[in-house]
Amino acid sequence: MNILETHALKKIYGTGDTAVHALDGIDLTVAKGEFLAIVGTSGSGKSTLLHMLGGLDRPTSGSVTVDGKDIFSLKDEALTIFRRRKIGFVFQNYNLVPVLSVRENIVLPVQLDGNTPDGIYVHSVIETLGLESKLNNLPFNLSGGQQQRVAIARALAAKPAILLADEPTGNLDSKTSQDVMGLLKVSGQKFGQTIVMITHNEELAQMADRIVRIEDGRIVVRG
Ligand SMILES: Nc1ncnc2c1ncn2[C@@H]1O[C@H](COP(=O)(O)OP(=O)(O)O)[C@@H](O)[C@H]1O
Ligand SMILES: [Mg+2]
């Protein structure tokens, strides 16, 4: 079953002479439980694609279907709720709340959605990511790799169907990047989540089940 599908997805920024065709007709399917890497040079449209996959921004034309739902048929408010329930995001900048502890950061989105975190599940995520001893720390006391592990735990805590990661190791050294990627992969497998990860690091991309390459807003190689 495909958890994620795009059809003829296009995104044009601006109009007239200055228009940028960031996505120029993307057809992509991702199977449930798959770990997909999207690679491509800077400016090729990777982040734009990820934003569309997660419903953060609307395409100019085309569709994105998540778990059988055409997400852009939803009005903004319904789309926001759908996104919160189904999609986890991990960005290059960890975006942790500086005045909250690691534990508080991890459960914050679940609480903001008006839910009580599933304690046993969250603990399992924390253990998998090796964060047990850091739960009461504030983010500034953590290394970059640890902060990104917290951001991954936070994304997983809401049990999203899909985890979308945009250059998650972009600010980390190569050894730490490998470690964080390994944990991301293990977490995805353990908790049955589908992962779509953008990277321009070919070596890291090799850790995925499949690699798709994008150039000038088009898919040029399918794994
Ligand atoms: N908000 C925006 N407004 C105008 N142009 C944008 C915007 N976001 C991205 N672009 C342009 O769209 C193209 C693709 O950008 P992006 O998706 O960020 O690429 P990547 O993530 O692969 O580096 C680039 O030419 C970029 O300059
Ligand atoms: Mg980008």
Side-chain angles (χ1 to χ4, degrees):
M1 181 206 151
N2 291 327
I3 187 81
L4 184 60
E5 289 188 21
T6 74
H7 181 65
L9 194 66
K10 294 191 181 187
K11 179 67 175 181
I12 303 169
Y13 292 111
T15 55
D17 288 351
T18 57
V20 176
H21 292 251
L23 295 180
D24 201 13
I26 300 275
D27 291 290
L28 180 66
T29 57
V30 185
K32 193 169 191 309
E34 195 175 16
F35 179 6
L36 175 71
I38 297 175
V39 300
T41 53
S42 179
S44 57
K46 304 184 297 297
S47 293
T48 301
L49 176 58
L50 207 79
H51 290 163
M52 303 294 141
L53 297 181
L56 286 174
D57 192 11
R58 290 181 185 268
T60 305
S61 62
S63 65
V64 173
T65 306
V66 175
D67 210 4
K69 182 89 200 163
D70 176 353
I71 64 171
F72 296 113
S73 69
L74 298 170
K75 296 212 168 81
D76 284 353
E77 198 177 334
L79 178 58
T80 301
I81 292 168
F82 187 85
R83 187 170 62 224
R84 224 187 268 155
R85 306 244 157 103
K86 291 275 185 193
I87 316 271
F89 291 96
V90 177
F91 296 105
Q92 182 170 342
N93 303 316
Y94 325 115
N95 297 324
L96 302 176
V97 180
V99 296
L100 296 182
S101 69
V102 165
R103 183 197 302 276
E104 290 164 339
N105 266 284
I106 290 171
V107 296
L108 183 67
V110 177
Q111 291 173 336
L112 287 177
D113 199 25
N115 293 317
T116 307
D118 175 343
I120 292 170
Y121 167 75
V122 170
H123 186 76
S124 174
V125 168
I126 286 166
E127 256 185 346
T128 304
L129 291 163
L131 293 167
E132 304 99 306
S133 66
K134 303 291 174 196
L135 290 175
N136 297 318
N137 286 41
L138 291 174
F140 77 88
N141 284 316
L142 304 180
S143 68
Q146 288 166 340
Q147 289 189 53
Q148 191 58 297
R149 276 148 53 196
V150 175
I152 292 168
R154 177 183 56 187
L156 291 172
K159 299 185 182 173
I162 305 173
L163 193 75
L164 300 177
D166 193 348
E167 304 271 5
T169 62
N171 286 332
L172 305 175
D173 62 65
S174 64
K175 165 75 171 70
T176 310
S177 295
Q178 292 272 355
D179 292 348
V180 168
M181 275 291 301
L183 288 168
L184 186 62
K185 185 171 177 174
V186 166
S187 309
Q189 284 166 347
K190 187 164 173 182
F191 304 113
Q193 273 136 353
T194 307
I195 300 175
V196 178
M197 180 194 69
I198 286 176
T199 181
H200 58 246
N201 183 322
E202 302 279 340
E203 204 179 326
L204 290 177
Q206 297 301 327
M207 292 174 80
D209 299 327
R210 183 161 65 106
I211 300 174
V212 161
R213 183 175 305 276
I214 164 168
E215 258 173 39
D216 295 330
R218 291 166 193 239
I219 291 176
V220 289
V221 180
R222 291 171 190 275

